[in-house]
């Protein structure tokens, strides 16, 4: 069975709950199409998160990578279009606060997601979930991890679909923070599962087409 690496983040800043962590824990070991989901939680630490996603890629050798992040304030599920070669933003959990730093000095300005983000959005909307493509993953840890995974695939010439999805706050987090748009946990899980199903279906279709050509 193919392996899909699904990552989330630990709680950070003044968010004592990170819904991505709970979604990843629930979907860990799930089977979606031809994929077995392998869930892992990343630290909110500029010095460690990028290296850890690379370590996981080399350890697990996934056939696809989907990373999740919290975008408190957004009210839609938003697959990201691009990761920028930039580290910036508030302090991380270890007190690091890079300003206008490059993720990779030898890397390009950005990498486009290799996930089927348009079809993911279409399918979520069809299933009654607000969704849209986002054109910025910011410059915090979410962008950092997305860039590192795509950069690794580029320099190692690996055809492994990889990208990032931002999600709204959960109701649990919104209760803590007050005026923050939120979704129930079950819908956050549903949205991510739909995205994984779209990815699995498209990869299976491409594989079938390739096999037909070679026969």
């Amino acid at each position: 069975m193919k392996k899909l690496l699904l990552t989330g983040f630990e709680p950070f800043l003044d968010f004592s709950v990170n819904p991505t962590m709970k979604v990843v824990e629930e979907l860990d070991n799930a089977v979606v199409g031809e994929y077995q989901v392998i869930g892992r939680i990343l630290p909110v630490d500029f010095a460690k998160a990028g290296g850890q996603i690379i370590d996981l890629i080399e350890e697990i050798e996934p056939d696809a990578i989907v990373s999740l992040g919290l975008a408190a304030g957004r009210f839609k599920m938003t697959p990201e279009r691009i990761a920028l070669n930039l580290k910036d933003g508030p302090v991380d959990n270890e007190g690091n606060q890079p300003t206008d730093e490059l993720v990779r000095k030898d890397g390009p300005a950005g990498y486009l997601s290799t996930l089927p983000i348009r079809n993911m959005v279409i399918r979520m909307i069809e299933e009654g979930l607000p969704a849209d493509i986002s054109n910025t993953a910011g410059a915090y840890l979410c962008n950092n991890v997305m860039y590192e995974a795509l950069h690794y695939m580029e320099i190692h010439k690996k055809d492994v679909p990889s990208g990032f999805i931002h999600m709204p706050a959960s109701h649990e987090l919104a209760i803590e923070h007050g005026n923050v748009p939120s979704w129930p946990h079950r819908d956050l899980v549903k949205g991510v599962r739909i995205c994984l199903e779209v990815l699995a279906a498209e990869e299976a279709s491409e594989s079938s087409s390739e096999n037909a050509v070679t026969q």
Side-chain angles (χ1 to χ4, degrees):
M1 180 166 283
K2 292 183 177 181
K3 294 175 288 188
L4 187 150
L5 174 60
L6 180 69
T7 71
F9 282 105
E10 65 185 2
F12 65 105
L13 298 177
D14 59 345
F15 301 114
S16 65
V17 175
N18 193 327
T20 69
M21 186 174 181
K22 296 193 173 187
V23 170
V24 168
E25 289 173 345
E26 182 162 336
L27 291 175
D28 185 30
N29 290 320
V31 174
V32 180
E34 297 182 353
Y35 290 118
Q36 178 180 12
V37 177
I38 300 172
R40 295 290 186 270
I41 306 302
L42 299 174
V44 178
D45 181 347
F46 277 107
K48 295 180 179 178
Q52 189 163 326
I53 189 75
I54 291 171
D55 288 344
L56 289 171
I57 291 168
E58 293 182 339
E59 172 195 344
I60 296 168
E61 297 183 340
D63 300 286
I65 303 168
V66 177
S67 295
L68 307 176
L70 168 65
R74 291 188 188 179
F75 56 91
K76 295 181 179 182
M77 192 78 78
T78 51
E80 296 294 342
R81 191 189 300 274
I82 189 170
L84 298 178
N85 191 1
L86 178 64
K87 292 192 288 187
D88 200 289
V91 296
D92 64 19
N93 284 352
E94 301 302 318
N96 304 307
Q97 190 174 16
T99 302
D100 299 334
E101 292 184 16
L102 297 177
V103 178
R104 290 280 174 172
K105 291 182 180 180
D106 59 343
Y111 284 111
L112 292 174
S113 172
T114 51
L115 300 178
I117 57 175
R118 177 62 64 188
N119 288 340
M120 287 176 170
V121 166
I122 290 171
R123 175 79 186 284
M124 282 190 282
I125 292 173
E126 288 174 347
E127 295 291 332
L129 299 178
D132 202 355
I133 290 174
S134 167
N135 290 320
T136 175
Y140 197 50
L141 270 297
C142 297
N143 174 79
N144 195 164
V145 164
M146 180 182 177
Y147 188 96
E148 288 280 22
L150 287 164
H151 181 70
Y152 183 91
M153 296 308 160
E154 176 67 19
I155 63 175
H156 289 88
K157 307 301 179 185
K158 292 182 178 289
D159 185 19
V160 174
S162 180
F164 201 96
I165 301 170
H166 266 119
M167 62 172 59
S170 60
H171 286 345
E172 180 182 8
L173 189 58
I175 289 170
E176 177 182 311
H177 277 266
N179 190 24
V180 178
S182 63
W183 285 22
H185 171 74
R186 66 178 180 275
D187 283 347
L188 294 174
V189 174
K190 178 182 176 181
V192 173
R193 182 179 280 276
I194 286 170
C195 290
L196 302 188
E197 289 172 353
V198 170
L199 173 60
E202 295 215 358
E203 289 299 300
S205 177
E206 287 184 12
S207 179
S208 296
S209 297
E210 290 173 0
N211 289 338
V213 169
T214 57
Q215 288 176 356

